[in-house]
Structure formats: structure tokens, C-alpha cells
Amino acid sequence: RNDSRLFILIHRQALESDHVSQTICHWIDLVFGHKQKGRSAVQAINVFHPATYFGMDVSAVEDPVQRRALETMIKTYGQTPRQLFQAAHVSRPGSRLIMEGELPAAMGLLVQLAFRETREPTKEVIYPSPLPWIRGLKWGEYVGSPSAPDPVVCFSQPHGERFGLLQALPTRAICGLSKKFCLMMVYSKEQGVRSMHSTDIQWSAILSWGYADNILRLKSKQSEPPINFIQSSQFHQVTCCAWVPDSCQLFTGSKCGVITAYMNRFTSSTPSEIEVESVVHLYGHVAEITSLFVCKPYSIIISVSKDGSCIIWDLNRLCYVQSLTGHKNPVSAVAASETTGDIATVCDSVGGGSDLRLWTVNGDLVGHVHCREIICSLSFSNQPEGVSVNVIAGGLENGVVRLWSTWDLKPVREIAFPKSNKPIVSLTFSCDGHHLYTANSDGTVIAWCRKDQQRLKLPMFYSFFSSYAAG
């Protein structure tokens, strides 16, 4: 199909398939193990010229002609790595859940099935494959996965105030933030067995803005009033904020289109107090910034403006990277995948409804689809690539969540709650992918889980309303 991205995605799943997992031990034996040398290597027909084995010191050969011949041989045939194992490598057992129709075949056969011109009809399976002409691809185990049981409501709670954002934390908690609130967190850097399975919060605070004096206020303790943190000028009135935990970076978008990056540090006298260390301005928009989205795994931040522009910035160098162009109207929602760096954008369609676009982290357009309903919010599922085909979840104006495949933007499932038909203004998957949280326009938060996982412990839900910053 002349699609390098799809080619790589298919190969990822092939390399993570049960067949490869169970047989890759034989390759390890040949390259690094007991079949690299000796009688086992002869029996496995795995022998090469002596000069190509690890440990051959070409510089010790005095004859220049022979030395040059050996160097040429090594450059031509390569060099065998150091032998690491003296015994047979153990096979890794396959997954417990085997998808119907999975082929116990080599990767070459999988690719042949993917790209040959005449495709034979595949055996009907219980659920659709991500790509109809390839058997054995796995959707994954997240809530809403086409191969998983139907999602059911496991939590529903009205709050009476509209949330601006639902945010999933590495601690498994979900936070509901009021408009003009930003959650600032620093996680523990401790090493050890305990830290491998949990994430501890070292410091946290709520940043609020939108005051008449243009001051950004910080509240780190519920029992104490907020403190003045940053004084912004009237020319740079703040419209949105984003926080990067690991680097203590704070980004603000302004009404004039300027993005400001604040590098912060904790004071030495009081470790719980934070202060601004340096400030950098980023220029690329000419109108109000409406949204900032951080994708920390790929060190990018995406900004959206009323002028119709959508820009990718480098978090490390604090510089312009790429513009995402071609939107007919200003982008109304944006999200990025933590597993691939792919970016999803939504804008209003000229004829009504919304246009959903998917981009690579390099700004290349993967594809776009039209949705008859207005898409109000976006989120990516976050399961490991190679064993999952993740989805883009879109919160629609009619209260429905629609899922699109990140491979080809085909719709794969709709999740609806008959008792709620209000627009979904924010949604997010939990960090483990077992729950999907949605917040609609009247402040009701609904959580979904797989039907066979209703007994799983719900993530803790914390709500921060506008009254939280009042005192």
C-alpha cells in the first residue's frame, strides 16, 4: 500500500506475536548462545570464516596483504558478536488470551498477507481485525477495545459545575479541574523495588488565572489561601496553561498569541516553595491561544490559536518545530499519543459537524475523516504498541464517545449512556487503560470499564472547582 507507517505498525505486532515470543529463543541461541560456536554450531549449520568471530585481532597480523584481506572480509561479511550464553535460551510462554484466528506463522508470511495484490477471504472472526487482510493482529485490553467485552458504566456523579479538563495521573487517580485551573505536580525520583510499581507525589499545587490583576495564583495546601505566583502584563493576558512535571516547566498562552515558558525551581530554604528561574517567549501565533497540550514522552508541546494555526514546539530547546496546516477552521480540540507521539486535531467542518485529522509527531498527515456530529474533546488510549492497536476517543455533542483506530481512522466502536446526552467536554483514559472517564457540559462525570472488570478498584477521583482557589 506504499505506507511506511503502516508497514512498521504491522511489523511491531509481528515481532510481539506469540509465535515470535515462543521461537525467538532459537535466534538468540544462534547469534549469542550455545549454537554460535562448537559442535552445536556445526549441527545448526551456523559456522563462518574464523576471521569474522569476535576476538579476532586484525592489527596483530603482520602481513599487510593478509591483514587487508581480513579487514575486507569483516567489512563484507560482518563480525559475530561476543558469545553471551553457554546453555539453550528459555522460550517465553505465549499470552494467556489467544485471539481467534491468530496465525502461528513467521513474520514474512504476515507481511506477504499484508501487501500482496490478490487477497484471499479470511476466516470470519468474533470481532473485526484492525486490518481485514491480516489475521492475528491484537486490539489490546483497554476499555472500549473491539476485542474486549462491552464497556459498562461503573461510576456516575453529578457535580453541578462544568469541568474544564479531566486529567489522568501516573498514580492511577483522575482529577477534574475547573476552567482556568492547571494542576502542577512533581513526582518522586526515588529508586528501588517499591518505586517500580508505584508513583509518589512529591509536591502538588493548583494554578489559577483569569483575575482582574493578571496575577497567576498558586495554592498548594487546602487549608491555606492561594499565593501570588506570577504577574503577567496586560498585553499578555493568560488564556491557558500547561505544566511539565519532570522539568518543572510552566507554559502559558496569551490573548495576543505569545506563549511564555517559565523554568521553575524549588527554593533551597523552603523545599515546598517554588520560584521562577527563567522566562522564554515563543512567537508563532497572531491571535489568542486557546489550548496547550504537552506530550512529555516525545518532548513536544502543541499550541492552538484562534488564527487557525496549530504549532508543535520542542520542550527541550524551546523552539519552533512544525506547523500543522490544512484546517478549514480554527482547531477546537487537540490531543497527542504518549505511545507514538501521533497528534489528533479537530476543527469545525464547512458543511457542519467536525473534521478529525491524525498527524505523525513529525507533522505528516496520516489521514482525516468527517464526523457528522461536533467533536468536543479528544483522548488517546495508551496501551503498549506492538501488542495493541490504540484508538482515538472523541467526545461528541450528543453525549456519545466514538472510537477511531489510530492505524487508519476507521470507526471501531461507540460508547453511549442513555441517561446522558449532553456534550462531552473532556475525557481521558486511566493510566492503565482499564477505565474511561468523561465529563459532560452539566458537570456530570461518568466512568466506564470493561464488563468483565467491574470488580476492579476504581481510580480515585479528585475534583477542583472554582471555589477551591477562593480561599
Side-chain angles (χ1 to χ4, degrees), residues 43-292:
Q43 292 176 348
I45 318 176
N46 187 43
V47 291
F48 305 95
H49 192 281
T52 63
Y53 283 90
F54 180 85
M56 176 63 184
D57 187 6
V58 179
S59 61
V61 179
E62 296 182 357
D63 186 348
V65 176
Q66 187 178 1
R67 184 170 62 249
R68 193 159 48 250
L70 291 173
E71 290 173 348
T72 303
M73 191 178 300
I74 293 172
K75 288 179 182 179
T76 304
Y77 300 118
Q79 195 165 26
T80 306
R82 182 194 293 269
Q83 188 177 22
L84 301 178
F85 310 107
Q86 302 298 328
H89 206 73
V90 179
S91 172
R92 192 177 82 175
S95 61
R96 291 182 296 105
L97 299 175
I98 303 298
M99 170 177 161
E100 181 177 337
E102 182 170 3
L103 278 181
M107 185 173 63
L109 178 58
L110 196 87
V111 176
Q112 180 185 356
L113 285 170
F115 295 98
R116 66 184 182 185
E117 292 299 324
T118 57
R119 297 173 186 137
E120 298 174 1
T122 58
K123 177 185 175 182
E124 186 178 354
V125 294
I126 300 173
Y127 49 86
S129 171
L131 298 174
W133 60 91
I134 300 182
R135 293 157 56 189
L137 296 174
K138 299 179 181 179
W139 282 104
E141 300 302 315
Y142 53 88
V143 57
S145 167
S147 62
D150 292 339
V152 295
V153 174
C154 55
F155 173 85
S156 179
Q157 187 175 12
H159 289 86
E161 181 178 335
R162 176 171 173 163
F163 287 104
L165 176 69
L166 292 182
Q167 184 173 339
L169 306 181
T171 59
R172 287 195 73 250
I174 306 291
C175 283
L177 301 172
S178 178
K179 282 186 172 182
K180 299 182 179 179
F181 273 17
C182 176
L183 179 62
M184 301 168 63
M185 280 195 167
V186 176
Y187 300 106
S188 174
K189 304 281 188 187
E190 291 181 7
Q191 302 294 322
V193 176
R194 180 175 178 272
S195 61
M196 290 171 60
H197 304 285
S198 64
T199 302
D200 295 326
I201 298 173
Q202 182 180 338
W203 176 86
S204 64
I206 292 291
L207 180 76
S208 56
W209 66 92
Y211 302 101
D213 55 9
N214 293 324
I215 294 178
L216 280 71
R217 291 178 166 82
L218 204 62
K219 183 170 182 175
S220 58
K221 295 181 180 179
Q222 189 170 2
S223 58
E224 298 179 2
I227 61 172
N228 295 342
F229 182 46
I230 296 173
Q231 173 71 65
S232 60
S233 70
Q234 64 183 55
F235 303 105
H236 292 173
Q237 293 182 31
V238 174
T239 56
C240 55
C241 293
W243 171 257
V244 187
D246 292 344
S247 54
C248 286
Q249 291 174 308
L250 174 66
F251 290 84
T252 63
S254 65
K255 205 160 189 176
C256 66
V258 176
I259 298 171
T260 305
Y262 298 91
M263 274 56 70
N264 306 279
R265 67 180 179 87
F266 288 98
T267 59
S268 55
S269 57
T270 311
S272 61
E273 291 186 4
I274 194 169
E275 63 181 8
V276 176
E277 192 173 27
S278 61
V279 179
V280 175
H281 296 295
L282 303 176
Y283 301 94
H285 302 287
V286 295
E288 179 181 331
I289 308 294
T290 57
S291 180
L292 294 170

